[in-house]
Amino acid sequence: MNPEEIGILIVDDEASVRDSLYQWFKADGYRVDTADEAAGALKKLQDSPWDIILLDIRMPGMDGIELQQRIKQIDANIVTIIMTAYAAVDTAIQALKDGAFDYVTKPVDPDDLGRLIRNAVEKRRLLQENIRLRRQIEDRLIESSVDGVVVADRDGKILIFNRGAESILGYSADEVVGKMSIRDIYFGCRAKMSSFPLLLRGKDGALIESEFSASVVYDEKGNESVTVGVFKDLREKRGMERELRNTREALLQSEKLAAMGRLTSQIAHELNNPIYGIMNTLELLKSEVPPESKRRGILELSLSETVRLTEMLRSMLSFSKPEEEKRVPVKINGLIEGILLVMEKQMREANIRVTTAFSAEIPEIMASTNQMRQVMLNMIKNAKESMPSGGTLFVRTMRGDGNVRIIIRDTGVGIHEELKDKIFEAFFTTKQKIKGTGLGLSVCYGIVKGHGGEIEVESEVGKGTTFIINLPINAGG
């Protein structure tokens, strides 16, 4: 969504806060308005639609908590962000439980608020997409409400075959009426049935999933006269339900990543300064201890562990705020070959045989070189670590329909079926001994999604895992 499509309402009784926030968002192109108290905000909600509302928690009259509850009653999908002083953080947390997207403490940091607004815009976009798909399902069902209707006599011979049935099954009425039996299409019913799932057989022999209702019509003597079958074609509905489910999963994943990003960013920033202080102190002590001293070895071990901590923090920051690097033409084959060359010794020592099949037809894609290198390195390292006793790593590239496909397959321990949906979640790891932060696949997922791509996983316990990465050829973003 473009900034001009997003409406932001700022509700705060401090004029300086309202004015500064108004100028920030106006400069970024958003549609912005302000209110100095709850009643004015509610009036503006009635006058025009808003996507994001920033609420001060303490205001005269109705406070931010009560105002948020009123807003959610008007439109539960409006994204609310609480602004609060440090002393009122507990109240802000209560607001989160009541449905606020997040909170920010005063004085407001422009960079933190900017990132928060971008996350809120993405959530709003996914919510609107969810609503659009739900409405589309309802509209299409109404538009296609001419269901298939088939009437047959006691012997099953078809007497009536309406246009809905023609459209669903592919037959014309002339081909069916008086010439075919309902048994050619579905099993006849000898009693009333409501909303019964039934497979229909179309003209081309394909089976069609339907929702079927049937009843028996009796004559004046109580004898069975005809059977009436009404069926709905569920193919489109099932497809749209899958699309809606995928959108919901994307929304949930987006919210998880946003929440974990905020947490990891706070932790990493708090730890960085003392860690670097420790590193500098160890470096200074090392220069004062002779190389042959036993204490020198202890110092070097301490320093190496501290360096490992800084790498872990860098990974956490990369997860919470991926670098927005310039995208340039990238040769995926060359990038992967370079990584495999660097890891050749490690693979050989781990008794892992590497085979490759790179397609020469793959064009360059527009991408961040460093981020793509990070994705491929993480995926290949994960494959290596899944084969502790050795095995085979197969890497293949090929051109798809408008995308480049990268397949990374190992013969390792595999992933249990119940864990496959969790491996891209932050801090989730299947490793017995924690070797990192559990952010590797989450970072990969975020980078690939940011480039407009997809990651799929196929795995069987004891036989290995296959990751399939699809990147659009025009992944310029």
Side-chain angles (χ1 to χ4, degrees), residues 165-241:
E166 289 181 329
S167 175
I168 295 170
L169 298 174
Y171 293 102
S172 68
D174 291 340
E175 293 178 286
V176 174
V177 174
K179 301 174 183 176
M180 291 178 62
S181 167
I182 55 173
R183 297 177 183 85
D184 297 324
I185 300 171
Y186 57 81
F187 292 104
C189 301
R190 300 193 61 81
K192 183 176 180 180
M193 305 186 72
S194 178
S195 298
F196 180 78
L198 185 72
L199 289 177
L200 309 173
R201 184 180 292 111
K203 183 177 179 179
D204 59 0
L207 294 178
I208 300 167
E209 190 176 1
S210 75
E211 183 178 81
F212 179 76
S213 299
S215 62
V216 177
V217 178
Y218 298 91
D219 60 22
E220 62 278 2
K221 296 181 180 179
N223 298 321
E224 293 181 9
S225 176
V226 295
T227 60
V228 179
V230 180
F231 49 84
K232 297 179 182 291
D233 185 354
L234 297 183
R235 289 173 296 183
E236 185 177 13
K237 180 182 177 183
R238 292 286 185 259
M240 295 184 69
E241 286 174 347

Coordinates of all heavy atoms in Angstrom, one line a residue, residues 165-241:
A165 N -26.6 -27.0 -13.9 CA -26.0 -28.4 -14.1 C -25.2 -28.4 -15.4 O -24.2 -29.1 -15.4 CB -27.2 -29.4 -14.1
E166 N -25.7 -27.8 -16.4 CA -24.9 -27.8 -17.7 C -23.5 -27.2 -17.4 O -22.5 -27.7 -17.9 CB -25.6 -26.9 -18.7 CG -26.9 -27.6 -19.3 CD -27.5 -26.7 -20.3 OE1 -27.4 -25.5 -20.3 OE2 -28.1 -27.3 -21.3
S167 N -23.5 -26.0 -16.7 CA -22.2 -25.4 -16.5 C -21.3 -26.2 -15.6 O -20.1 -26.3 -15.9 CB -22.5 -24.0 -15.8 OG -21.3 -23.4 -15.4
I168 N -21.8 -26.9 -14.6 CA -21.0 -27.6 -13.7 C -20.5 -28.9 -14.3 O -19.3 -29.3 -14.2 CB -21.8 -27.9 -12.4 CG1 -22.1 -26.6 -11.6 CG2 -21.0 -28.9 -11.5 CD1 -23.0 -26.8 -10.5
L169 N -21.4 -29.6 -15.0 CA -21.0 -31.0 -15.5 C -20.6 -31.0 -16.9 O -20.0 -32.1 -17.3 CB -22.2 -31.9 -15.3 CG -22.7 -32.1 -13.8 CD1 -24.0 -32.9 -13.8 CD2 -21.6 -32.8 -13.0
G170 N -20.8 -30.0 -17.7 CA -20.3 -30.0 -19.1 C -21.2 -30.6 -20.1 O -21.0 -30.5 -21.3
Y171 N -22.3 -31.1 -19.6 CA -23.3 -31.7 -20.6 C -24.3 -30.6 -21.0 O -24.6 -29.6 -20.2 CB -24.1 -32.8 -19.9 CG -23.4 -34.1 -19.6 CD1 -23.0 -34.4 -18.3 CD2 -23.1 -35.0 -20.6 CE1 -22.3 -35.5 -18.0 CE2 -22.4 -36.2 -20.3 CZ -22.0 -36.4 -19.1 OH -21.4 -37.6 -18.8
S172 N -24.9 -30.7 -22.1 CA -26.1 -29.9 -22.5 C -27.3 -30.7 -22.1 O -27.3 -31.9 -22.0 CB -26.1 -29.6 -24.0 OG -26.3 -30.8 -24.7
A173 N -28.4 -30.0 -21.9 CA -29.7 -30.6 -21.5 C -30.1 -31.6 -22.6 O -30.7 -32.7 -22.3 CB -30.8 -29.6 -21.3
D174 N -29.9 -31.3 -23.9 CA -30.3 -32.2 -25.0 C -29.5 -33.5 -24.9 O -30.1 -34.6 -25.3 CB -30.0 -31.5 -26.3 CG -30.9 -30.4 -26.6 OD1 -31.9 -30.3 -26.0 OD2 -30.5 -29.5 -27.4
E175 N -28.3 -33.5 -24.4 CA -27.5 -34.8 -24.3 C -28.0 -35.6 -23.1 O -27.8 -36.8 -23.1 CB -26.1 -34.5 -24.0 CG -25.3 -33.8 -25.2 CD -23.9 -33.5 -24.9 OE1 -23.7 -32.5 -24.1 OE2 -23.0 -34.1 -25.4
V176 N -28.7 -35.0 -22.2 CA -29.0 -35.7 -20.9 C -30.5 -36.1 -20.8 O -30.8 -37.2 -20.4 CB -28.6 -34.8 -19.7 CG1 -29.0 -35.4 -18.4 CG2 -27.1 -34.6 -19.7
V177 N -31.4 -35.1 -21.0 CA -32.8 -35.3 -20.7 C -33.4 -36.5 -21.5 O -33.3 -36.5 -22.8 CB -33.6 -34.1 -21.0 CG1 -35.1 -34.3 -20.8 CG2 -33.2 -33.0 -20.0
G178 N -33.9 -37.5 -20.8 CA -34.5 -38.7 -21.5 C -33.5 -39.7 -22.0 O -33.9 -40.7 -22.5
K179 N -32.2 -39.4 -21.9 CA -31.2 -40.2 -22.5 C -30.2 -40.8 -21.4 O -29.6 -41.8 -21.7 CB -30.4 -39.5 -23.5 CG -31.2 -38.9 -24.6 CD -30.4 -38.1 -25.6 CE -31.3 -37.5 -26.7 NZ -30.5 -36.5 -27.6
M180 N -30.1 -40.1 -20.3 CA -29.2 -40.6 -19.3 C -29.9 -40.8 -17.9 O -31.0 -40.3 -17.7 CB -28.1 -39.5 -19.1 CG -27.1 -39.4 -20.3 SD -25.8 -38.2 -20.1 CE -25.0 -38.8 -18.6
S181 N -29.3 -41.6 -17.1 CA -29.8 -41.8 -15.7 C -29.0 -41.0 -14.7 O -27.8 -40.7 -15.0 CB -29.7 -43.3 -15.4 OG -29.9 -43.6 -14.0
I182 N -29.6 -40.7 -13.6 CA -28.9 -40.0 -12.6 C -27.7 -40.9 -12.1 O -26.7 -40.3 -11.5 CB -29.8 -39.6 -11.4 CG1 -30.5 -40.9 -10.8 CG2 -30.8 -38.6 -11.8 CD1 -31.3 -40.6 -9.6
R183 N -27.8 -42.2 -12.3 CA -26.7 -43.0 -11.8 C -25.4 -42.8 -12.7 O -24.3 -43.1 -12.3 CB -27.1 -44.5 -11.9 CG -28.2 -44.9 -11.0 CD -28.7 -46.3 -11.2 NE -29.8 -46.6 -10.3 CZ -31.1 -46.4 -10.7 NH1 -31.4 -45.8 -11.9 NH2 -32.1 -46.7 -9.8
D184 N -25.6 -42.2 -13.8 CA -24.4 -41.8 -14.6 C -23.7 -40.6 -14.0 O -22.5 -40.3 -14.4 CB -24.8 -41.4 -16.1 CG -25.4 -42.6 -16.8 OD1 -25.0 -43.8 -16.5 OD2 -26.4 -42.4 -17.6
I185 N -24.4 -39.9 -13.2 CA -23.8 -38.6 -12.6 C -23.6 -38.8 -11.1 O -22.5 -38.5 -10.6 CB -24.8 -37.4 -12.9 CG1 -25.0 -37.3 -14.4 CG2 -24.3 -36.2 -12.2 CD1 -26.1 -36.3 -14.7
Y186 N -24.5 -39.3 -10.4 CA -24.4 -39.6 -8.9 C -25.3 -40.7 -8.5 O -26.2 -41.1 -9.3 CB -24.7 -38.3 -8.1 CG -26.0 -37.7 -8.4 CD1 -27.2 -38.2 -7.7 CD2 -26.2 -36.6 -9.2 CE1 -28.4 -37.6 -7.9 CE2 -27.5 -36.0 -9.4 CZ -28.6 -36.6 -8.8 OH -29.8 -36.0 -8.9
F187 N -25.1 -41.2 -7.3 CA -25.9 -42.2 -6.8 C -27.3 -41.7 -6.5 O -27.4 -40.7 -5.8 CB -25.3 -42.9 -5.6 CG -24.1 -43.7 -5.9 CD1 -22.8 -43.2 -5.6 CD2 -24.2 -44.9 -6.6 CE1 -21.7 -43.9 -5.9 CE2 -23.0 -45.6 -6.9 CZ -21.8 -45.1 -6.5
G188 N -28.4 -42.3 -6.9 CA -29.7 -41.8 -6.7 C -30.1 -41.8 -5.2 O -29.5 -42.6 -4.5
C189 N -31.0 -41.0 -4.8 CA -31.4 -40.9 -3.4 C -32.8 -41.4 -3.3 O -33.6 -41.1 -4.1 CB -31.3 -39.5 -2.9 SG -29.6 -38.8 -3.0
R190 N -33.1 -42.1 -2.2 CA -34.4 -42.6 -2.0 C -35.0 -42.1 -0.8 O -36.0 -42.6 -0.2 CB -34.4 -44.2 -2.0 CG -33.9 -44.8 -3.2 CD -34.1 -46.3 -3.3 NE -35.6 -46.6 -3.3 CZ -36.4 -46.5 -4.4 NH1 -35.9 -46.1 -5.6 NH2 -37.6 -46.8 -4.3
A191 N -34.5 -41.0 -0.3 CA -35.0 -40.3 0.9 C -34.5 -38.8 0.9 O -33.6 -38.5 0.1 CB -34.6 -41.0 2.2
K192 N -35.0 -38.0 1.7 CA -34.6 -36.6 1.8 C -33.2 -36.6 2.4 O -32.9 -37.1 3.4 CB -35.6 -35.8 2.6 CG -35.2 -34.3 2.6 CD -36.3 -33.5 3.3 CE -36.0 -32.1 3.4 NZ -37.0 -31.3 4.1
M193 N -32.3 -35.8 1.8 CA -30.9 -35.6 2.3 C -30.6 -34.1 2.2 O -30.9 -33.5 1.2 CB -29.9 -36.5 1.5 CG -30.3 -37.9 1.5 SD -29.0 -39.0 0.8 CE -27.8 -38.9 2.1
S194 N -29.9 -33.6 3.2 CA -29.6 -32.2 3.1 C -28.1 -32.0 3.3 O -27.5 -32.6 4.2 CB -30.3 -31.4 4.3 OG -30.0 -30.1 4.3
S195 N -27.5 -31.1 2.4 CA -26.0 -30.8 2.5 C -25.2 -32.0 2.6 O -24.4 -32.2 3.6 CB -25.8 -29.8 3.7 OG -26.5 -28.6 3.5
F196 N -25.3 -32.9 1.7 CA -24.5 -34.1 1.7 C -23.4 -34.0 0.7 O -23.6 -33.7 -0.4 CB -25.5 -35.3 1.2 CG -24.8 -36.6 1.2 CD1 -24.6 -37.3 2.4 CD2 -24.4 -37.2 0.0 CE1 -24.0 -38.6 2.3 CE2 -23.9 -38.4 0.0 CZ -23.6 -39.1 1.1
P197 N -22.1 -34.3 1.2 CA -21.0 -34.2 0.2 C -21.1 -35.3 -0.8 O -21.3 -36.5 -0.4 CB -19.8 -34.3 1.2 CG -20.3 -35.0 2.4 CD -21.7 -34.6 2.5
L198 N -20.9 -35.0 -2.0 CA -21.0 -36.0 -3.1 C -20.1 -35.6 -4.2 O -20.0 -34.4 -4.6 CB -22.5 -36.0 -3.6 CG -22.8 -37.1 -4.6 CD1 -22.9 -38.4 -4.0 CD2 -24.2 -36.8 -5.3
L199 N -19.5 -36.6 -4.8 CA -18.7 -36.5 -6.0 C -19.5 -36.7 -7.2 O -20.2 -37.7 -7.3 CB -17.5 -37.5 -6.0 CG -16.4 -37.2 -5.0 CD1 -15.3 -38.3 -5.0 CD2 -15.7 -35.8 -5.2
L200 N -19.5 -35.7 -8.1 CA -20.2 -35.8 -9.4 C -19.3 -36.2 -10.5 O -18.1 -35.9 -10.4 CB -20.9 -34.5 -9.7 CG -21.8 -33.8 -8.6 CD1 -22.2 -32.5 -9.1 CD2 -23.0 -34.7 -8.3
R201 N -19.8 -36.9 -11.5 CA -18.9 -37.2 -12.7 C -19.3 -36.4 -13.9 O -20.4 -36.4 -14.3 CB -19.1 -38.7 -13.0 CG -18.2 -39.2 -14.1 CD -18.3 -40.6 -14.5 NE -17.9 -41.5 -13.4 CZ -18.7 -42.2 -12.6 NH1 -20.0 -42.2 -12.8 NH2 -18.3 -43.0 -11.7
G202 N -18.4 -35.5 -14.3 CA -18.6 -34.6 -15.4 C -18.5 -35.3 -16.8 O -18.2 -36.5 -16.8
K203 N -18.8 -34.6 -17.8 CA -18.8 -35.2 -19.2 C -17.4 -35.7 -19.6 O -17.3 -36.7 -20.2 CB -19.2 -34.1 -20.2 CG -19.3 -34.6 -21.6 CD -19.8 -33.5 -22.5 CE -19.8 -34.0 -24.0 NZ -20.3 -32.9 -24.9
D204 N -16.3 -35.0 -19.0 CA -15.0 -35.5 -19.4 C -14.5 -36.6 -18.5 O -13.3 -37.0 -18.5 CB -14.0 -34.3 -19.3 CG -14.0 -33.6 -17.9 OD1 -14.7 -34.1 -17.0 OD2 -13.3 -32.7 -17.8
G205 N -15.4 -37.1 -17.6 CA -15.0 -38.2 -16.7 C -14.4 -37.7 -15.3 O -14.2 -38.5 -14.4
A206 N -14.1 -36.4 -15.2 CA -13.5 -35.9 -14.0 C -14.5 -35.9 -12.9 O -15.7 -35.7 -13.1 CB -13.0 -34.5 -14.2
L207 N -14.0 -36.1 -11.7 CA -14.9 -36.1 -10.5 C -14.9 -34.7 -9.9 O -13.9 -34.0 -9.8 CB -14.4 -37.1 -9.4 CG -14.5 -38.6 -9.8 CD1 -13.9 -39.4 -8.7 CD2 -15.9 -39.0 -10.1
I208 N -16.1 -34.2 -9.6 CA -16.3 -32.8 -9.2 C -16.9 -32.9 -7.7 O -17.9 -33.5 -7.5 CB -17.3 -32.1 -10.1 CG1 -16.7 -32.1 -11.5 CG2 -17.6 -30.7 -9.6 CD1 -17.7 -31.7 -12.6
E209 N -16.2 -32.2 -6.8 CA -16.7 -32.1 -5.5 C -17.9 -31.2 -5.4 O -17.9 -30.1 -5.9 CB -15.6 -31.6 -4.5 CG -15.9 -31.7 -3.1 CD -14.7 -31.3 -2.2 OE1 -13.7 -30.9 -2.8 OE2 -14.9 -31.4 -1.0
S210 N -19.0 -31.7 -4.7 CA -20.2 -30.8 -4.6 C -20.8 -31.0 -3.2 O -20.5 -31.9 -2.5 CB -21.2 -31.3 -5.7 OG -21.8 -32.5 -5.3
E211 N -21.7 -30.0 -3.0 CA -22.6 -30.1 -1.8 C -23.9 -30.4 -2.3 O -24.5 -29.6 -3.1 CB -22.5 -28.7 -1.1 CG -23.3 -28.7 0.2 CD -23.2 -27.4 0.9 OE1 -24.0 -26.5 0.5 OE2 -22.4 -27.3 1.8
F212 N -24.5 -31.5 -1.9 CA -25.6 -32.1 -2.6 C -26.8 -32.2 -1.6 O -26.7 -32.5 -0.4 CB -25.3 -33.5 -3.0 CG -26.3 -34.2 -3.7 CD1 -26.7 -33.9 -5.1 CD2 -27.0 -35.3 -3.1 CE1 -27.7 -34.6 -5.7 CE2 -28.0 -36.0 -3.8 CZ -28.4 -35.7 -5.0
S213 N -28.0 -31.8 -2.1 CA -29.2 -32.0 -1.3 C -30.2 -32.7 -2.2 O -30.2 -32.5 -3.5 CB -29.8 -30.6 -0.9 OG -29.0 -29.9 -0.1
A214 N -31.0 -33.6 -1.7 CA -31.9 -34.4 -2.5 C -33.2 -34.6 -1.7 O -33.2 -34.7 -0.5 CB -31.3 -35.7 -2.9
S215 N -34.3 -34.7 -2.5 CA -35.6 -35.1 -1.8 C -36.4 -35.9 -2.8 O -36.1 -35.8 -4.0 CB -36.3 -33.8 -1.4 OG -36.6 -33.0 -2.6
V216 N -37.4 -36.6 -2.3 CA -38.3 -37.4 -3.1 C -39.6 -36.7 -3.1 O -40.2 -36.2 -2.1 CB -38.4 -38.8 -2.5 CG1 -39.5 -39.6 -3.3 CG2 -37.1 -39.5 -2.4
V217 N -40.2 -36.6 -4.3 CA -41.5 -36.0 -4.5 C -42.5 -37.1 -4.7 O -42.3 -38.0 -5.5 CB -41.6 -35.0 -5.7 CG1 -43.0 -34.5 -5.9 CG2 -40.6 -33.9 -5.5
Y218 N -43.6 -37.1 -3.9 CA -44.6 -38.2 -4.0 C -45.8 -37.7 -4.7 O -46.2 -36.5 -4.7 CB -45.0 -38.6 -2.6 CG -43.8 -39.2 -1.8 CD1 -43.0 -38.4 -1.0 CD2 -43.5 -40.6 -1.8 CE1 -42.0 -38.9 -0.3 CE2 -42.5 -41.1 -1.1 CZ -41.7 -40.3 -0.4 OH -40.6 -40.8 0.3
D219 N -46.5 -38.6 -5.3 CA -47.8 -38.3 -6.0 C -48.9 -38.3 -5.0 O -48.7 -38.5 -3.8 CB -48.1 -39.2 -7.2 CG -48.2 -40.7 -6.8 OD1 -48.5 -40.9 -5.6 OD2 -48.1 -41.6 -7.6
E220 N -50.1 -38.0 -5.5 CA -51.3 -37.9 -4.6 C -51.6 -39.2 -3.9 O -52.3 -39.2 -2.9 CB -52.5 -37.4 -5.4 CG -53.0 -38.3 -6.5 CD -52.3 -38.1 -7.8 OE1 -51.3 -37.3 -7.8 OE2 -52.6 -38.8 -8.7
K221 N -51.1 -40.3 -4.4 CA -51.4 -41.6 -3.8 C -50.3 -42.0 -2.8 O -50.4 -43.1 -2.2 CB -51.6 -42.7 -4.8 CG -52.8 -42.5 -5.7 CD -52.9 -43.6 -6.8 CE -54.1 -43.4 -7.7 NZ -54.2 -44.5 -8.7
G222 N -49.3 -41.1 -2.7 CA -48.2 -41.5 -1.7 C -47.1 -42.3 -2.4 O -46.2 -42.7 -1.7
N223 N -47.2 -42.5 -3.7 CA -46.1 -43.2 -4.3 C -45.0 -42.2 -4.7 O -45.2 -41.1 -5.0 CB -46.7 -43.9 -5.5 CG -47.7 -45.0 -5.2 OD1 -47.6 -45.7 -4.2 ND2 -48.8 -45.0 -6.0
E224 N -43.8 -42.8 -4.8 CA -42.6 -42.0 -5.3 C -42.9 -41.5 -6.7 O -43.2 -42.3 -7.6 CB -41.3 -42.7 -5.2 CG -40.9 -43.1 -3.8 CD -39.6 -43.8 -3.8 OE1 -38.9 -43.9 -4.8 OE2 -39.2 -44.3 -2.7
S225 N -42.7 -40.3 -7.0 CA -42.9 -39.7 -8.3 C -41.6 -39.4 -9.0 O -41.2 -40.0 -10.0 CB -43.9 -38.5 -8.3 OG -44.0 -37.9 -9.5
V226 N -40.9 -38.4 -8.4 CA -39.6 -38.0 -9.0 C -38.7 -37.7 -7.8 O -39.1 -37.5 -6.7 CB -39.7 -36.8 -9.9 CG1 -40.6 -37.1 -11.1 CG2 -40.3 -35.6 -9.1
T227 N -37.4 -37.7 -8.1 CA -36.4 -37.3 -7.2 C -35.8 -36.0 -7.7 O -35.6 -35.8 -8.9 CB -35.3 -38.3 -7.0 OG1 -34.6 -38.5 -8.3 CG2 -35.8 -39.6 -6.5
V228 N -35.5 -35.1 -6.8 CA -35.0 -33.8 -7.1 C -33.6 -33.6 -6.4 O -33.5 -33.7 -5.2 CB -35.9 -32.6 -6.7 CG1 -35.2 -31.3 -7.1 CG2 -37.3 -32.8 -7.3
G229 N -32.6 -33.4 -7.2 CA -31.3 -33.2 -6.7 C -30.8 -31.8 -6.9 O -30.9 -31.3 -8.1
V230 N -30.2 -31.2 -5.9 CA -29.7 -29.8 -6.1 C -28.2 -29.9 -5.6 O -28.0 -30.4 -4.5 CB -30.5 -28.8 -5.3 CG1 -29.8 -27.4 -5.4 CG2 -31.9 -28.8 -5.7
F231 N -27.3 -29.4 -6.4 CA -25.9 -29.5 -6.0 C -25.2 -28.2 -6.3 O -25.5 -27.5 -7.3 CB -25.2 -30.7 -6.7 CG -25.4 -30.8 -8.1 CD1 -24.6 -30.1 -9.0 CD2 -26.4 -31.7 -8.6 CE1 -24.8 -30.3 -10.4 CE2 -26.6 -31.8 -10.0 CZ -25.8 -31.1 -10.9
K232 N -24.2 -27.9 -5.5 CA -23.4 -26.7 -5.6 C -22.0 -27.2 -6.0 O -21.4 -28.1 -5.4 CB -23.2 -25.9 -4.3 CG -24.6 -25.4 -3.8 CD -24.3 -24.6 -2.5 CE -25.6 -24.1 -1.9 NZ -26.2 -23.0 -2.7
D233 N -21.4 -26.5 -7.0 CA -20.0 -26.8 -7.4 C -19.1 -26.2 -6.4 O -19.1 -24.9 -6.2 CB -19.8 -26.2 -8.8 CG -18.4 -26.6 -9.3 OD1 -17.6 -27.2 -8.6 OD2 -18.1 -26.2 -10.5
L234 N -18.3 -27.0 -5.7 CA -17.4 -26.5 -4.6 C -16.0 -26.2 -5.0 O -15.1 -25.8 -4.2 CB -17.4 -27.5 -3.4 CG -18.7 -27.7 -2.7 CD1 -18.5 -28.6 -1.5 CD2 -19.3 -26.4 -2.2
R235 N -15.7 -26.4 -6.3 CA -14.3 -26.2 -6.7 C -13.7 -24.8 -6.5 O -12.7 -24.6 -5.9 CB -14.1 -26.6 -8.2 CG -14.3 -28.1 -8.5 CD -14.3 -28.4 -10.0 NE -15.5 -27.8 -10.6 CZ -15.8 -28.0 -11.9 NH1 -15.0 -28.7 -12.7 NH2 -16.9 -27.4 -12.4
E236 N -14.5 -23.8 -6.9 CA -14.1 -22.5 -6.7 C -14.1 -22.1 -5.2 O -13.1 -21.4 -4.8 CB -15.0 -21.5 -7.5 CG -14.6 -20.1 -7.5 CD -15.5 -19.2 -8.3 OE1 -16.6 -19.6 -8.7 OE2 -15.1 -18.0 -8.5
K237 N -15.1 -22.5 -4.5 CA -15.1 -22.2 -3.1 C -13.9 -22.8 -2.4 O -13.3 -22.1 -1.5 CB -16.4 -22.8 -2.5 CG -16.6 -22.5 -1.0 CD -17.9 -23.1 -0.5 CE -18.0 -22.9 1.0 NZ -19.2 -23.5 1.6
R238 N -13.6 -24.1 -2.7 CA -12.4 -24.7 -2.0 C -11.2 -24.0 -2.3 O -10.3 -23.8 -1.5 CB -12.3 -26.2 -2.4 CG -13.5 -27.0 -1.9 CD -13.4 -27.3 -0.4 NE -14.4 -28.2 0.1 CZ -15.5 -27.9 0.7 NH1 -15.7 -26.6 1.0 NH2 -16.4 -28.7 1.1
G239 N -11.0 -23.6 -3.6 CA -9.8 -22.8 -4.0 C -9.7 -21.5 -3.2 O -8.6 -21.1 -2.8
M240 N -10.8 -20.8 -3.1 CA -10.8 -19.5 -2.4 C -10.6 -19.7 -0.9 O -9.9 -18.9 -0.2 CB -12.1 -18.8 -2.7 CG -12.3 -18.4 -4.1 SD -13.7 -17.4 -4.4 CE -13.2 -15.9 -3.5
E241 N -11.1 -20.8 -0.3 CA -10.8 -21.1 1.1 C -9.3 -21.3 1.3 O -8.8 -20.9 2.3 CB -11.6 -22.3 1.5 CG -13.1 -22.0 1.7 CD -13.9 -23.2 2.0 OE1 -13.4 -24.4 1.8 OE2 -15.1 -23.1 2.4

